[in-house]
């Protein structure tokens, strides 16, 4: 998809919002799982509520797109109630995204926000591989180099993970890494699968989102019942919710939708800068809030990851020029 023309000010605005949402979501979620006082909420209910809010927001955007309530109802009936095959098709990424979101909660319960933010960039090589095999696209030599460089950076970060001194719960870094590994695999596959579905027809992005979120609500509700059913029946669906938990749900809901809208006004280089800036902000916040102790291996790995993100996002004409040096 071509990047639409937009002013420099608007592009900077997009970059700033994308960066702040990514960094704030990670740090706030980490805070609610490790530092925040009070009873710990059920992460499965938070994932479910996120899907509900995304559905409501997508309905609002589709209402604006269709222009009238009658057209909205006609579109919903046609593409949701009378299209069981399409719902089934979109249930695949719904399941995968549900797993990914739950794994994010598990990972941030056991890994520092900065370590998580760096390690989560493994979604780039995972997405690259899925793109090659599922969409039959090719990567430049510099992009392949950046993928291996990124993996090396993450290895350094995980070699001797930075420790946080203010965390109040016992953590299992190995469990956290396994959770984030599952999350990045899910992210890569679901993202490319959804892109393939979008480009296989002229169906509106918001219609596809609604189809996916309808399935997502059902799937996440099943997850609540299976994982925390008895506890939810005993303590309530919103047990342990605080304003900070609500803020996490808000960021998770709005962040994904906002990114899908503004991406058309930005390019891969800007998205790379955004990811790198989010890593820096998460690291600074982790030092202040969680007492993160920066190690040489963590700093080196984070730098490797930031550079590899930038190289991966370079346009092919620029990578061809750089490869001559």
């Amino acid at each position: 998809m071509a990047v639409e023309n937009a002013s420099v000010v608007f592009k900077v605005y997009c970059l700033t919002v994308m960066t702040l949402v990514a960094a704030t979501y990670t740090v706030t979620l980490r805070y609610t799982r490790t530092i925040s006082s009070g009873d710990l909420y059920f992460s499965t209910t938070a994932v479910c509520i996120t899907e509900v809010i995304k559905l409501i927001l997508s309905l609002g955007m589709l209402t604006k797109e269709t222009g009238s309530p009658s057209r909205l109802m006609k579109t919903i009936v046609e593409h949701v109630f009378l299209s069981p095959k399409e719902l089934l098709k979109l249930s695949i990424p719904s399941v995968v995204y549900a797993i990914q979101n739950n794994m994010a909660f598990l990972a941030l319960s056991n890994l520092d926000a900065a370590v998580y933010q760096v390690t989560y960039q493994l979604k780039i090589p995972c997405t690259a591989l899925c793109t090659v095999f599922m969409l039959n696209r090719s990567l430049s030599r510099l992009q392949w180099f950046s993928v291996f460089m990124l993996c090396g950076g993450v290895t350094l970060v995980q070699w001797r993970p930075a420790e946080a001194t203010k965390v109040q719960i016992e953590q299992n870094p190995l469990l956290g890494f396994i959770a984030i590994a599952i999350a990045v695999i899910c992210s890569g596959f679901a993202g490319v699968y959804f892109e393939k579905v979008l480009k296989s027809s002229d169906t509106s992005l918001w219609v596809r989102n609604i189809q996916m979120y309808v399935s997502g609500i059902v799937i996440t509700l099943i997850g609540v019942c299976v994982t925390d059913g008895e506890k939810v029946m005993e303590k309530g669906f919103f047990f342990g919710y605080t304003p900070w938990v609500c803020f996490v749900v808000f960021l998770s809901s709005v962040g994904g939708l906002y990114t899908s809208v503004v991406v058309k006004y930005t390019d891969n280089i800007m998205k790379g800068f955004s990811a790198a800036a989010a890593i820096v902000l998460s690291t600074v916040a982790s030092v202040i809030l969680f007492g993160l102790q920066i190690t040489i291996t963590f700093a080196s790995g984070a730098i490797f990851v930031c550079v590899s993100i930038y190289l991966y996002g370079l346009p092919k004409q620029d990578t061809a020029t750089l490869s001559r040096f």
Side-chain angles (χ1 to χ4, degrees):
M1 182 171 56
V3 176
E4 296 188 10
N5 292 326
S7 67
V8 174
V9 174
F10 183 74
K11 287 185 176 182
V12 171
Y13 162 77
C14 292
L15 174 64
T16 303
V17 173
M18 290 170 64
T19 302
L20 289 176
V21 167
T24 306
Y25 170 74
T26 302
V27 173
T28 308
L29 198 161
R30 170 69 171 174
Y31 176 82
T32 62
R33 302 301 290 179
T34 58
I35 300 294
S36 183
S37 59
D39 297 313
L40 191 62
Y41 61 99
F42 304 119
S43 61
T44 52
T45 62
V47 173
C48 183
I49 295 171
T50 298
E51 295 298 302
V52 174
I53 296 176
K54 285 182 179 179
L55 176 61
I56 294 172
L57 293 175
S58 295
L59 284 170
M61 296 303 298
L62 184 60
T63 302
K64 182 179 179 180
E65 186 175 86
T66 53
S68 69
S70 59
R71 290 178 182 174
L72 173 65
M73 287 303 300
K74 181 181 179 182
T75 302
I76 292 175
V77 170
E78 178 183 353
H79 292 283
V80 178
F81 295 106
L82 300 180
S83 302
K85 289 184 179 180
E86 295 301 310
L87 283 176
L88 184 62
K89 184 189 299 183
L90 269 299
S91 67
I92 296 175
S94 295
V95 172
V96 178
Y97 277 131
I99 296 172
Q100 175 195 335
N101 293 331
N102 279 286
M103 288 299 104
F105 278 88
L106 181 59
L108 280 166
S109 298
N110 292 280
L111 294 174
D112 184 82
V115 176
Y116 172 90
Q117 193 73 263
V118 175
T119 309
Y120 190 64
Q121 300 311 314
L122 284 173
K123 67 182 180 180
I124 293 176
C126 184
T127 302
L129 290 174
C130 290
T131 299
V132 170
F133 290 112
M134 295 173 63
L135 299 181
N136 296 319
R137 293 180 186 169
S138 61
L139 300 179
S140 67
R141 284 180 293 177
L142 191 57
Q143 284 179 316
W144 280 116
F145 172 76
S146 69
V147 165
F148 287 107
M149 185 178 180
L150 189 148
C151 293
V154 171
T155 301
L156 285 175
V157 168
Q158 291 292 336
W159 189 261
R160 292 183 64 184
E163 295 183 357
T165 59
K166 298 181 182 179
V167 173
Q168 299 173 354
I169 66 170
E170 185 177 349
Q171 300 177 102
N172 186 338
L174 178 59
L175 178 61
F177 179 75
I178 293 173
I180 202 172
I182 295 173
V184 299
I185 293 172
C186 291
S187 175
F189 172 78
V192 175
Y193 180 93
F194 189 59
E195 179 183 350
K196 189 172 184 178
V197 171
L198 278 178
K199 294 184 176 180
S200 64
S201 69
D202 296 327
T203 305
S204 165
L205 167 65
W206 301 114
V207 169
R208 289 301 191 189
N209 278 339
I210 289 170
Q211 291 171 336
M212 185 165 62
Y213 297 144
V214 167
S215 302
I217 291 172
V218 175
I219 291 164
T220 52
L221 275 175
I222 294 173
V224 171
C225 294
V226 172
T227 307
D228 299 309
E230 292 184 4
K231 295 178 182 178
V232 169
M233 290 296 292
E234 177 187 351
K235 299 180 179 180
F237 194 87
F238 296 100
F239 173 78
Y241 274 62
T242 64
W244 286 114
V245 177
C246 295
F247 188 48
V248 168
V249 172
F250 169 78
L251 289 174
S252 181
S253 303
V254 176
L257 290 176
Y258 182 85
T259 301
S260 69
V261 173
V262 302
V263 155
K264 66 180 179 180
Y265 295 111
T266 65
D267 53 30
N268 284 326
I269 295 178
M270 288 191 70
K271 286 185 285 183
F273 276 120
S274 176
I279 290 173
V280 174
L281 290 177
S282 297
T283 302
V284 173
S286 294
V287 171
I288 297 172
L289 294 175
F290 310 120
L292 180 70
Q293 298 177 335
I294 303 297
T295 62
I296 295 177
T297 53
F298 175 86
S300 302
I303 293 172
F304 266 63
V305 169
C306 291
V307 173
S308 65
I309 291 172
Y310 169 74
L311 294 177
Y312 186 83
L314 286 176
K316 284 194 174 182
Q317 58 266 32
D318 290 347
T319 59
T321 302
L322 286 172
S323 64
R324 299 194 190 104
F325 293 92

